[in-house]
Amino acid sequence: MSKPKKYVYAFTDGGRDMAELLGGKGAGLAEMSGLGLPVPPGFTVTTEACRAYLATGSEPPELGIEVAQHLAALERATGRTLGSADEPLLVSVRSGARFSMPGMMETVLDIGLTDDSVAGLARATGQDRFAWDSYRRLLQMFGHTVLGLDPALFENLITRHKEECAVKDDGELDAEQLRSLVGEYKALIREESGAEFPQDPAEQLQQAIRAVFASWNSERARLYRSRERIPDDLGTAVNVQAMVFGNLGPDSGTGVAFTRDPATGAPGPYGDYLPDAQGEDVVSGVRDALPIDALRRELPAVYAELARHLGTLERHYRDMCDVEFTVERGTLWILQTRIGKRTAEAAFRIAYDLLDERRVREDTALLRVDGTALNRLMFPRFAQRPAGAPLARGVPASPGAAVGEVVFDSRSAVRRHEAGARVILVRRETTPDDLPGMVVAEAVLTSRGGKTSHAAVVARGMGTVCVCGADTLTVDPAARRLTTDSGIVVCEGDTVSVDGTAGTVHLGALPLVDSEVRRTVETGEREGALGDAVLRALGHADKAARLEVRANADTPADAALARRLGARGIGLCRTEHMFLGERRVLVEDMILAGDDDARSAALRALLPLQRDDFTGILRAMDGLPVTIRLLDPPLHEFLPDLTELSVRAATDDGADPRTRELLTAVRALHEQNPMLGLRGVRLGLAVPGLFATQVRAIAEAVVRRLRDGGDPRAEIMIPLVADATELRLARAEAEQVIADVARESGVSVDCPIGTMIELPRAALTADRIAPYADYFSFGTNDLTQTVWGMSRDDAEASFFPLYLDRGVFATSPFESLDEEGVGVLVERAVTMGRAANPRLQTGVCGEHGGDPASIRFFHRAGLDYVSCSPFRVPAARLEAGRAALGADGTNDTR
Ligand code: PEP
Ligand code: MG
């Protein structure tokens, strides 16, 4: 018989390797208990119990019994009883999923307070006011979280109460006034929920646990998960823990501390501290926290103990950790630890500092950073020192530079973003309800809160620029404006610039400059801890990688940039831009040509121009492969627009014979669905001399480079092949041209010929195609479009948001490869292609070639290279290395 399920674990029973079952918080509490850190005792209800509850709508029958047993043990351990009229035990009930979801789920504090036990708490602490304040907090939280009542109802009551008592702050209400407020809150609960606030503490506990289970499926939790790619079926654990109080006077307090600075990675301790405050006050940013040094000054012994525990945790976890702590009358308690979230900059710095400190090995350091983080660092920042004083200064909570128009609520942010605007979300402080706006914002700016406020934590996790606690700003969401201390008014729609690295806000759009990390990667010059860490990571990744990284580049300048950024060749040189601009008229001539002679003449005029283009690119990539794709887009893209021509034809220009000819050609070439029309190899076969001219230009450029002593490695690529015969015909023509050029020049030209695999039929018949191909390059853009049967531009402009929202896509399949659909075709085509042609090379040149998760897939699928835009090359190199070390993407949610 299998062992009966266990749904509840005491903190002393678990450990860090049980995060799936106990959630991150539960596993951390258990691990700390094991390390002997001062953790208030408690127990964890497993994610399995949550899943059972969500699946059936009720708790597993054993759960109630197990909770009761663990509660009894907790009562024995603390020597106190839940709900007792005399020194009662109070507990907190907190969510804690496998992956951190800050502020997305529910928490209920002070469970166990009742009409009886409130007096016991007052006696035990000697603080009447504190006891009644705790009770009213419980009623408020319970009413909102457990009973689903509108929090504004409670807020209105307390506001009215303060007016009646002629006080401004909650803190000024005395015990008697709070006692009367408690009466009003209880009446409110009775009227609104139809039942009394439960006076049985076990009942309170049961309902609170249920509410936390249910909060897994709240709207904001779902949105957060879909954005962070956290699976929807994990469920949350629930931690029940003896309450400790940070609001019992000046020798009490609460805070958050990191072992290193989560923004820069500099060695710590680092964090925020709020004296005489409770629980969520720091994280919610309602009161401005002090730097952790305030604790060192006020309670030096407690600070020393905290620093010691931080050291223990970092040595134990071998990574930067953060903790939430509470000081209750001079006694330190650690309430939570986890591997700390960090900025991209800090991730690199910390990983390589830990390597130098011999805490981690080189492979681990590389696995601790990722391409997503590196990509963030490649982006521009503001030019040095903007002229004039900033509008405001705040806490530099998440670095980077952003320019956009100001909006004052989440809904406007989303609306303006959808209309194409870049927005800066400005709030007094953010709550989880602001998440949709934060997701679309370029930057988040708040007037309250510190580095660990909700705004800061969430923005950092998303890589969004954030300045918080800019307390000289008066933010007025109702009037849709903010006012600075010098009286400058900024209204909704005005442009501001936010510097998340310096913590400043400026009026207008400041000019941006390139990132230092990008310069470091380009020049290889080590400057500072960050640049050094990035170069070390890239060096190690290059050594470890099996996948080669090439770039998509079609000009010598882009090719040179890509090479500086570490590309090992060009995986896709699109030739269409070589047919635009001034050359358009030559292309028009080719299209309008009435006979072979006229067409040949037009193509002959294009030949030397193309030869120069290719020569330049081959020079920039000397010694490395350059895959040149023959013309792909439909010809009408090179002709004037139909409407424009029709207008021209209807006016004076209509007399011009060329206008009429062009109009006829445009009409003839018009297609209902050009994406599936006359393009790619079809064009090559249908327009005599087109591909031959391009191949000649390539072969002659090779000859020229060889004569100049270069090492040209041109490869010819045929696009949009669906059938082996198409490639056979196109290849035969290309080989003939190459042979002609070799004969004419007396120089031997070696130019591999391959094909893109970007149609499902090509993938499915890869074994027939491979004998005619020296390589396959997966065009995953078109392959995704054709596998899904949707045009990217049309889909993104219409139903994409709906599909993301409804969970059809976790992420866009155009951003991250759809492994279940498109990926299967890629794997199959590689296997079949190699079986038919063992020398076949394989790569990918769609956008996915620069996406970290997709790169890991391509590594597993056994491809030889990925190719992406030059700026993404460093991140792709990093991911190629990480993929070879078995990276599984767990860092991506950090
Ligand atoms: C592709 O389809 O993936 C590709 C690289 O080609 P393009 O994006 O130019 O159609
Ligand atoms: Mg394509």
Side-chain angles (χ1 to χ4, degrees), residues 574 629 632 679 719-720 756 758 779-783 785:
R574 295 181 169 101
R629 180 177 74 184
D632 182 27
R679 52 171 287 214
L720 215 77
M756 294 192 70
E758 52 186 340
T780 48
N781 301 335
D782 273 309
L783 194 56
Q785 297 198 98

Side-chain angles (χ1 to χ4, degrees), residues 702-725:
V702 169
V703 169
R704 210 198 266 179
R705 286 294 304 142
L706 285 169
R707 284 192 173 139
D708 286 350
D711 182 11
R713 306 265 176 104
E715 302 184 349
I716 289 166
M717 181 150 79
I718 315 288
L720 215 77
V721 163
D723 184 85
T725 307

Side-chain angles (χ1 to χ4, degrees), residues 456-794:
V457 172
V458 174
R460 251 195 324 269
M462 298 193 305
T464 301
V465 173
C466 179
V467 170
C468 54
D471 55 7
T472 53
L473 295 180
T474 309
V475 177
D476 186 347
R480 307 198 159 272
R481 66 170 182 231
L482 63 83
T483 313
T484 69
D485 52 353
S486 57
I488 299 172
V489 176
V490 179
C491 298
E492 185 154 287
D494 291 350
T495 298
V496 299
S497 301
V498 180
D499 186 336
T501 313
T504 51
V505 189
H506 309 265
L507 196 58
L510 292 183
L512 298 161
V513 293
D514 286 339
S515 95
E516 279 153 30
V517 168
R518 182 188 143 188
R519 206 181 50 230
T520 300
V521 175
E522 272 191 71
T523 60
E525 284 163 20
R526 281 163 202 261
E527 279 171 50
L530 174 61
D532 187 54
V534 168
L535 288 183
R536 287 165 79 186
L538 284 171
H540 183 42
D542 289 344
K543 270 191 255 131
R546 200 212 63 237
L547 273 177
E548 210 170 68
V549 178
R550 299 189 190 175
N552 295 354
D554 358 314
T555 63
D558 271 2
L561 169 67
R563 189 167 195 163
R564 289 197 302 275
L565 291 171
R568 304 298 301 152
I570 291 181
L572 172 62
C573 169
R574 295 181 169 101
T575 51
E576 37 268 31
H577 89 267
M578 300 170 191
F579 286 70
L580 294 172
E582 288 164 3
R583 302 177 186 181
R584 209 176 192 140
V585 58
L586 301 174
V587 182
E588 285 177 9
D589 287 348
M590 177 194 81
I591 296 170
L592 298 179
D595 54 34
D596 287 354
D597 285 349
R599 187 178 309 106
S600 301
L603 287 167
R604 264 200 310 279
L606 277 167
L607 176 67
L609 302 171
Q610 292 239 300
R611 190 169 52 217
D612 286 351
D613 294 332
F614 297 138
T615 307
I617 294 170
L618 288 170
R619 188 182 298 118
M621 273 291 167
D622 197 54
L624 295 173
V626 175
T627 306
I628 300 167
R629 180 177 74 184
L630 305 186
L631 197 66
D632 182 27
L635 286 182
H636 70 80
E637 287 197 11
F638 303 99
L639 294 178
D641 173 68
L642 176 61
T643 322
E644 182 196 319
L645 265 181
S646 307
V647 172
R648 252 205 269 163
T651 56
D652 295 351
D653 273 356
D656 175 12
R658 181 141 178 131
T659 304
R660 283 202 311 276
E661 275 179 66
L662 280 171
L663 186 57
T664 312
V666 168
R667 287 201 178 118
L669 289 171
H670 177 77
E671 290 173 317
Q672 292 299 336
N673 191 341
M675 189 189 103
L676 302 177
L678 181 60
R679 52 171 287 214
V681 69
R682 301 163 193 168
L683 203 56
L685 297 179
V687 181
L690 176 61
F691 275 13
T693 302
Q694 289 199 288
V695 173
R696 176 169 279 276
I698 295 166
E700 291 182 357
V702 169
V703 169
R704 210 198 266 179
R705 286 294 304 142
L706 285 169
R707 284 192 173 139
D708 286 350
D711 182 11
R713 306 265 176 104
E715 302 184 349
I716 289 166
M717 181 150 79
I718 315 288
L720 215 77
V721 163
D723 184 85
T725 307
E726 291 172 313
L727 184 60
R728 179 167 61 76
L729 295 172
R731 182 180 182 107
E733 185 187 26
E735 282 178 335
Q736 184 59 56
V737 174
I738 293 169
D740 289 348
V741 171
R743 191 174 20 74
E744 290 158 17
S745 63
V747 176
S748 111
V749 179
D750 175 24
C751 207
I753 298 170
T755 181
M756 294 192 70
I757 301 287
E758 52 186 340
L759 291 173
R761 192 176 192 286
L764 293 167
T765 59
D767 53 341
R768 292 170 184 271
I769 293 175
Y772 303 107
D774 296 314
Y775 61 88
F776 282 173
S777 176
F778 290 91
T780 48
N781 301 335
D782 273 309
L783 194 56
T784 302
Q785 297 198 98
T786 48
V787 165
W788 282 85
M790 60 170 75
S791 124
R792 173 184 181 149
D793 292 346
D794 292 338

Side-chain angles (χ1 to χ4, degrees), residues 318-580:
R318 295 168 184 271
D319 201 350
M320 186 260 264
C321 299
D322 64 31
V323 300
E324 278 177 26
F325 65 92
T326 285
V327 185
E328 185 184 272
R329 291 186 163 158
T331 302
L332 175 68
W333 295 99
I334 312 279
L335 304 184
Q336 161 169 331
T337 190
R338 61 181 177 187
I339 303 298
K341 293 209 183 221
R342 63 204 72 185
T343 60
E345 177 180 346
F348 278 92
R349 168 109 194 247
I350 291 171
Y352 285 84
D353 278 358
L354 286 170
L355 174 62
D356 289 340
E357 292 163 25
R358 298 176 185 276
R359 296 268 167 237
V360 298
R361 290 212 299 264
E362 200 178 11
D363 285 359
T364 308
L366 181 54
L367 289 169
R368 292 260 179 96
V369 294
D370 59 44
T372 310
L374 183 53
N375 266 338
R376 280 178 199 153
L377 295 173
M378 297 290 290
F379 287 110
R381 56 176 181 75
F382 289 130
Q384 227 66 50
R385 298 203 164 279
L391 283 179
R393 283 177 196 286
V395 179
S398 181
V403 176
E405 61 179 64
V406 168
V407 290
F408 290 95
D409 60 49
S410 175
R411 197 176 293 216
S412 311
V414 172
R415 210 184 45 242
R416 292 295 304 140
H417 170 77
E418 279 170 0
R422 293 171 176 276
V423 298
I424 309 289
L425 179 62
V426 182
R427 304 286 288 158
R428 284 187 193 134
E429 70 228 1
T430 62
T431 69
D433 293 335
D434 290 316
L435 193 64
M438 298 179 77
V439 167
V440 300
E442 305 293 318
V444 178
L445 168 63
T446 67
S447 56
R448 294 190 196 158
K451 221 169 200 166
T452 47
S453 66
H454 176 267
V457 172
V458 174
R460 251 195 324 269
M462 298 193 305
T464 301
V465 173
C466 179
V467 170
C468 54
D471 55 7
T472 53
L473 295 180
T474 309
V475 177
D476 186 347
R480 307 198 159 272
R481 66 170 182 231
L482 63 83
T483 313
T484 69
D485 52 353
S486 57
I488 299 172
V489 176
V490 179
C491 298
E492 185 154 287
D494 291 350
T495 298
V496 299
S497 301
V498 180
D499 186 336
T501 313
T504 51
V505 189
H506 309 265
L507 196 58
L510 292 183
L512 298 161
V513 293
D514 286 339
S515 95
E516 279 153 30
V517 168
R518 182 188 143 188
R519 206 181 50 230
T520 300
V521 175
E522 272 191 71
T523 60
E525 284 163 20
R526 281 163 202 261
E527 279 171 50
L530 174 61
D532 187 54
V534 168
L535 288 183
R536 287 165 79 186
L538 284 171
H540 183 42
D542 289 344
K543 270 191 255 131
R546 200 212 63 237
L547 273 177
E548 210 170 68
V549 178
R550 299 189 190 175
N552 295 354
D554 358 314
T555 63
D558 271 2
L561 169 67
R563 189 167 195 163
R564 289 197 302 275
L565 291 171
R568 304 298 301 152
I570 291 181
L572 172 62
C573 169
R574 295 181 169 101
T575 51
E576 37 268 31
H577 89 267
M578 300 170 191
F579 286 70
L580 294 172

